């Protein structure tokens, strides 16, 4: 039993005066959540300052090119590195006159007349508006297809696995056709890597499909969590309205030395962090709901606390929000890197040098995973702890029970990531093609940022199923009887797979040790 089992649980928040059946032995109730306190406050303050800074930057950039070009006269500061570049290319040309000697230095002319449409914010805002609409439609359609029926997990997995490679290849061909060699090569390499990854883990897909189907069934039994996902998509769209307004103004500017790309890159990182925070907030809400349902034996159980959804939402956006802001910076990148290294490591044969190098990076990533893993959000939802402590408790719980071997075998997280990337690619392609036929020189920058918009919106709905998966593993590690009571057949399948994986690891360790002992130099006895 991990030390997290004695931490406060949301089940004790609003207990009725009437007696309730005690929770399972592995989940002892902690103190009342009214004693919860805020954790990781520094990251909460940093996020709020980030909102003010980047929100102001977006408003300034969008208004600077809205209806009138360079209304705030900031172009001279952006073009100081190019002295002979004028700030407004649409300024009326002066009348013909005798040339006069000009002193060296920047020549800046700012026109107060209305600029051409190609230089204004509203020219590009429509593309980002379309990207937001397509991304939201894909997000809602994905959740409806996944959670609309009990076998939605099969639909999700097949669509993600079989479609992503083909789509990446098609988009790379379109990039080559449009003479965008860098993006064509990047997408072609992505298609090849995705195909190799699928081939390397294809034997794990039956178990992955089983886990996804059970997670979808859990979501199907909790329609309230789907409404939460829909609501958070609307919240994200509100922030994206401001974001797309500001980015449209930046794209409309003429900044030398690819300054547009650097500004858009910084704002894209900001958008990614905002999207990750909203996704992980949904993660905490759904995890709290799923945990309560499994502990109390069903949503309609008499021991269920009143209004559990409202309480989970309250904790997520108050005492736990700093931890969510902290974890959202690192978990996605580290988790993706871990999947890739695991896939490479499992396919290395007898090349001892390569295996040693990969093992070195693998242990570094495993150490980072110990402090930044998605299972920490379940502990945050249940116990209200800080992010690092929740991550360590979850990882120690998995390692002490052996469930980590089962998690490493499961590819549900990778499959859901494929769905997110596919949604982003569809959004970026639709917007990029439209931009290509109207503003061909801006197609790549608009299409790539639109892809990010689509990924974030689809990720907000994908996280509902992912939260159910993580909660199932945490509950199985804490007390397997919770899963057995919820679905006895699924419990038997998980237990059998865990037993097989532990046996496989033991045999692999023995094989590696025997191979290393065989390479030791023989010594004569004294």
């Amino acid at each position: 039993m991990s030390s997290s089992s004695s931490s406060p649980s949301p089940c004790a928040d609003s207990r009725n005066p009437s007696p309730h059946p005690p929770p399972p032995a592995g989940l002892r109730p902690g103190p009342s959540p009214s004693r919860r306190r805020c954790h990781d406050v520094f990251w909460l303050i940093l996020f709020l300052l980030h909102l003010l800074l980047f929100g102001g930057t977006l408003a300034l950039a969008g208004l600077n090119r809205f209806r009138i070009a360079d209304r705030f006269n900031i172009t001279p500061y952006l073009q100081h590195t190019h002295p002979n570049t004028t700030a407004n290319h649409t300024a009326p040309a002066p009348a013909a006159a005798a040339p006069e000697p000009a002193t060296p230095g920047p020549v800046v002319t700012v026109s107060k007349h209305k600029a051409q449409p190609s230089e204004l914010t509203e020219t590009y805002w429509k593309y980002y508006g379309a990207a937001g609409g397509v991304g939201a439609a894909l997000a809602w359609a994905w959740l409806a297809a996944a959670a609309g029926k009990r076998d939605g997990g099969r639909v999700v997995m097949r669509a993600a696995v079989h479609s992503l490679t083909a789509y990446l290849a098609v988009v790379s061909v379109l990039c080559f056709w449009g003479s965008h060699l860098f993006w064509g090569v990047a997408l072609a390499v992505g298609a090849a890597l995705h195909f190799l990854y699928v081939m390397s883990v294809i034997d794990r897909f039956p178990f992955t499909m089983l886990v996804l189907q059970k997670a979808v069934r859990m979501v199907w039994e909790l329609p309230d969590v789907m409404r939460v996902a829909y609501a958070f998509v609307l919240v994200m769209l509100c922030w994206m309205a401001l974001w797309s307004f500001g980015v449209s103004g930046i794209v409309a500017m003429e900044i030398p030395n690819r300054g547009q790309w650097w500004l858009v890159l910084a704002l894209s990182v900001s958008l990614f962090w905002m999207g990750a925070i909203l996704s992980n907030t949904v993660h905490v809400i759904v995890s709290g709901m799923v945990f309560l349902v499994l502990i109390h034996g069903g949503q309609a159980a008499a021991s269920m606390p009143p209004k559990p959804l409202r309480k989970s939402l309250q904790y997520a956006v108050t005492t736990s929000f700093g931890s969510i802001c902290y974890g959202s910076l690192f978990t996605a990148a580290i988790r993706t890197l871990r999947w890739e290294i695991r896939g490479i490591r499992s396919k290395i044969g007898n090349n001892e040098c390569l295996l040693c190098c990969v093992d070195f990076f693998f242990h570094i990533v495993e150490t980072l995973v110990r402090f930044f893993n998605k299972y920490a959000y379940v502990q945050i939802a249940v116990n209200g702890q800080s992010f690092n402590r929740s991550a360590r408790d979850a990882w120690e719980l998995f390692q002490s029970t052996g469930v980590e071997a089962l998690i490493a075998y499961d590819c549900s997280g990778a499959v859901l990531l494929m769905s997110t990337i596919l949604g982003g690619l569809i959004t970026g392609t639709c917007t990029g093609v439209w931009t290509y036929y109207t503003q061909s020189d801006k197609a790549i920058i608009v299409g790539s940022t639109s892809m990010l918009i689509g990924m974030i919106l689809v990720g907000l709905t994908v996280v509902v199923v992912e939260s159910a998966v993580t909660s199932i593993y945490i509950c199985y590690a804490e007390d397997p009887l919770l899963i057995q009571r919820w679905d006895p057949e699924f419990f038997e399948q998980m237990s059998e797979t865990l037993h097989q994986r532990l046996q496989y690891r033991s045999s692999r360790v023995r094989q590696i040790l025997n191979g290393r002992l065989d390479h030791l130099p023989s010594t004569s006895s004294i």
Side-chain angles (χ1 to χ4, degrees), residues 293-422:
V293 169
L294 292 177
I295 286 176
H296 294 274
Q299 191 176 15
S303 59
M304 277 287 289
K307 300 179 180 178
L309 178 62
R310 189 178 71 176
K311 294 185 180 300
S312 296
L313 177 61
Q314 176 186 349
Y315 298 146
V317 299
T318 54
T319 56
S320 301
F321 197 66
S323 299
I324 293 173
C325 295
Y326 175 41
S328 299
L329 276 172
F330 308 103
T331 49
I334 293 174
R335 184 176 59 197
T336 305
L337 184 61
R338 183 174 184 243
W339 287 332
E340 294 296 334
I341 292 181
R342 277 188 179 275
I344 296 173
R345 186 171 179 260
S346 63
K347 293 303 176 182
I348 295 178
N350 297 324
N351 191 329
E352 291 291 338
C353 180
L354 182 59
L355 182 62
C356 181
C357 295
V358 172
D359 273 340
F360 174 73
F361 288 109
F362 178 76
H363 288 305
I364 293 177
V365 174
E366 289 291 302
T367 303
L368 293 174
V369 168
R370 185 179 182 86
F371 295 95
F372 302 102
N373 61 76
K374 62 182 179 179
Y375 301 95
Y377 297 108
V378 184
Q379 298 281 15
I380 290 172
V382 175
N383 302 322
Q385 298 173 342
S386 65
F387 182 87
N388 280 342
R389 181 179 176 185
S390 298
R392 288 195 300 268
D393 286 350
W395 206 245
E396 289 172 2
L397 175 65
F398 289 147
Q399 289 187 325
S400 62
T401 57
V403 176
E404 194 272 335
L406 200 61
I407 293 173
Y409 187 67
D410 178 27
C411 297
S412 58
V415 171
L416 294 174
L417 179 63
M418 294 175 196
S419 301
T420 303
I421 296 175
L422 182 62

Side-chain angles (χ1 to χ4, degrees), residues 124-160:
Y124 302 100
W125 199 14
K126 59 186 178 183
Y127 302 123
Y128 289 112
V134 172
L138 288 174
W140 290 333
W142 186 93
L143 188 57
K149 50 185 178 179
R150 289 177 178 266
D151 60 343
R154 186 183 302 271
V155 176
V156 168
M157 182 168 177
R158 289 180 176 177

Side-chain angles (χ1 to χ4, degrees), residues 14-202:
S14 54
R15 293 178 174 266
N16 298 327
S18 57
H20 300 308
L27 296 169
R28 294 171 291 175
S32 171
S34 60
R35 295 168 55 184
R36 285 191 178 192
R37 60 186 183 88
C38 295
H39 295 282
D40 300 312
V41 180
F42 169 78
W43 299 97
L44 173 60
I45 296 174
L46 181 64
F47 172 70
L48 296 177
L49 292 176
H50 148 269
L51 283 184
L52 292 175
L53 175 62
F54 280 84
T57 302
L58 289 168
L60 177 65
L63 289 173
N64 183 61
R65 287 272 171 166
F66 184 65
R67 294 187 178 177
I68 298 176
D70 200 23
R71 65 169 65 233
F72 296 130
N73 196 21
I74 65 175
T75 302
Y77 302 99
L78 299 175
Q79 295 188 337
H80 67 280
T81 56
H82 284 247
N84 297 323
T85 304
T86 58
N88 189 355
H89 298 284
T90 62
E100 296 180 2
T103 57
V107 180
V108 178
T109 59
V110 179
S111 173
K112 298 300 181 182
H113 300 287
K114 192 169 183 178
Q116 296 296 327
S118 61
E119 297 179 355
L120 301 180
T121 297
E122 50 265 36
T123 303
Y124 302 100
W125 199 14
K126 59 186 178 183
Y127 302 123
Y128 289 112
V134 172
L138 288 174
W140 290 333
W142 186 93
L143 188 57
K149 50 185 178 179
R150 289 177 178 266
D151 60 343
R154 186 183 302 271
V155 176
V156 168
M157 182 168 177
R158 289 180 176 177
V161 172
H162 298 303
S163 302
L164 184 55
T165 302
Y167 202 92
L168 283 169
V170 170
V171 176
S172 68
V173 172
L174 290 176
C175 290
F176 284 123
W177 179 64
S179 300
H180 300 293
L181 298 181
F182 172 79
W183 292 100
V185 171
L187 291 171
V189 171
L193 291 177
H194 178 260
F195 178 77
L196 293 175
Y197 174 77
V198 170
M199 290 297 100
S200 66
V201 297
I202 197 169

Side-chain angles (χ1 to χ4, degrees), residues 50 54 243 259-272:
H50 148 269
F54 280 84
W243 189 87
Q260 290 169 312
W261 281 97
W262 291 110
L263 283 175
V264 170
L265 177 63
L267 293 171
S268 296
V269 172
S270 168
L271 181 65
F272 177 79

Side-chain angles (χ1 to χ4, degrees), residues 460-519:
L460 276 171
T461 53
V462 168
V463 75
V464 174
V465 178
E466 187 176 17
S467 300
V469 172
T470 56
S471 300
I472 287 173
Y473 279 121
I474 286 285
C475 288
Y476 183 77
E478 288 275 10
D479 190 346
L481 295 179
L482 295 174
I483 305 299
Q484 186 180 33
R485 183 174 57 184
W486 175 59
D487 192 327
E489 182 181 358
F490 180 50
F491 168 77
E492 295 295 335
Q493 291 170 322
M494 287 190 70
S495 300
E496 181 180 357
T497 306
L498 177 60
H499 180 67
Q500 293 174 354
R501 295 310 302 170
L502 291 176
Q503 284 187 330
Y504 171 78
R505 284 197 170 187
S506 299
S507 62
R508 185 175 176 84
V509 169
R510 287 195 299 268
Q511 181 181 3
I512 292 174
L513 289 177
N514 291 335
R516 291 178 177 177
L517 289 175
D518 292 340
H519 287 82

